DNA sequence: TTGTTGACCGAGT
DNA sequence: AACTCGGCCAACA
């Protein structure tokens, strides 16, 4: 599998001018996804779908996962280990340097992982769409 | 160029 | 409870 070492190597970015016909839209959702992922605080996690939703772009969790797969060498680093699926499972663990690395990183941040799944997922979940106080539910 | 495949997700069978 | 399916975008074969 091909790996991207840094942003310059990413496909379809601004310099690629392929998808950048309009200026009011990002040329690629990669950067948007990375930006959101980097806001996840230490000791908290979010989900692929939540990032997709918060991006405001028409992308789905699948695309976020794909972006994460390419995030390996991105600078600044993307805390991809803090992104799990909607059930709190470490579905991306296999993509790390070692199959156990993702879990180890999470445990270092005080997150309990058992059976490839986060314990107390609900309480450590961090929603990028509502990062602040959890009042105000502007959902339509 | 067309078709298949994802670190997904929720709704429908 | 297990399974399929549509939606999304880009990369491969």
């Amino acid at each position: 599998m091909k790996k991207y070492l840094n942003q310059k190597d990413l496909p379809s970015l601004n310099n690629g001018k392929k998808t950048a016909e309009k200026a009011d839209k990002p040329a690629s959702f990669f950067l948007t996804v990375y930006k959101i992922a980097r806001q996840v605080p230490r000791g908290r996690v979010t989900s692929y779908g939540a990032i997709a939703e918060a991006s405001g772009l028409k992308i789905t969790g699948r695309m976020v996962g794909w972006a994460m797969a390419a995030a390996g060498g991105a600078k600044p680093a993307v805390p991809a280990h803090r992104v799990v699926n909607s059930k709190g499972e470490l579905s991306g663990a296999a993509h790390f340097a070692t199959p156990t690395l993702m879990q180890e990183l999470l445990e270092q941040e005080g997150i309990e992982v058992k059976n490839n799944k986060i314990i107390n997922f609900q309480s450590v979940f961090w929603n990028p769409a509502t990062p602040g106080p959890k009042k105000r539910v502007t959902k339509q």
Side-chain angles (χ1 to χ4, degrees), chain A residues 47-89:
Chain A
S47 74
Y48 303 99
I51 291 178
E53 204 175 327
S55 73
L57 304 173
K58 300 191 124 200
I59 62 176
T60 64
R62 210 176 259 228
M63 301 301 109
V64 175
W66 181 61
M68 284 305 167
K75 271 97 180 171
V78 176
H81 62 282
R82 296 188 191 132
V83 187
V84 299
N85 72 13
S86 68
K87 300 188 215 119
E89 296 164 342

Side-chain angles (χ1 to χ4, degrees), chain A residues 23-36:
Chain A
D24 45 340
K25 276 192 176 179
S28 162
F29 55 84
F30 277 66
L31 298 181
T32 306
V33 168
Y34 292 170
K35 190 163 127 192
I36 296 171

Side-chain angles (χ1 to χ4, degrees), chain A residues 74-128:
Chain A
K75 271 97 180 171
V78 176
H81 62 282
R82 296 188 191 132
V83 187
V84 299
N85 72 13
S86 68
K87 300 188 215 119
E89 296 164 342
L90 279 49
S91 48
H95 289 263
F96 285 76
T98 70
T100 54
L101 180 58
M102 185 179 189
Q103 171 167 348
E104 288 165 11
L105 290 172
L106 288 173
E107 287 173 338
Q108 281 171 24
E109 302 187 354
I111 296 174
E112 263 188 283
V113 178
K114 180 152 194 171
N115 253 344
N116 226 45
K117 188 171 178 182
I118 293 179
I119 309 298
N120 289 336
F121 175 53
Q122 223 179 141
S123 52
V124 296
F125 181 79
W126 182 86
N127 189 343

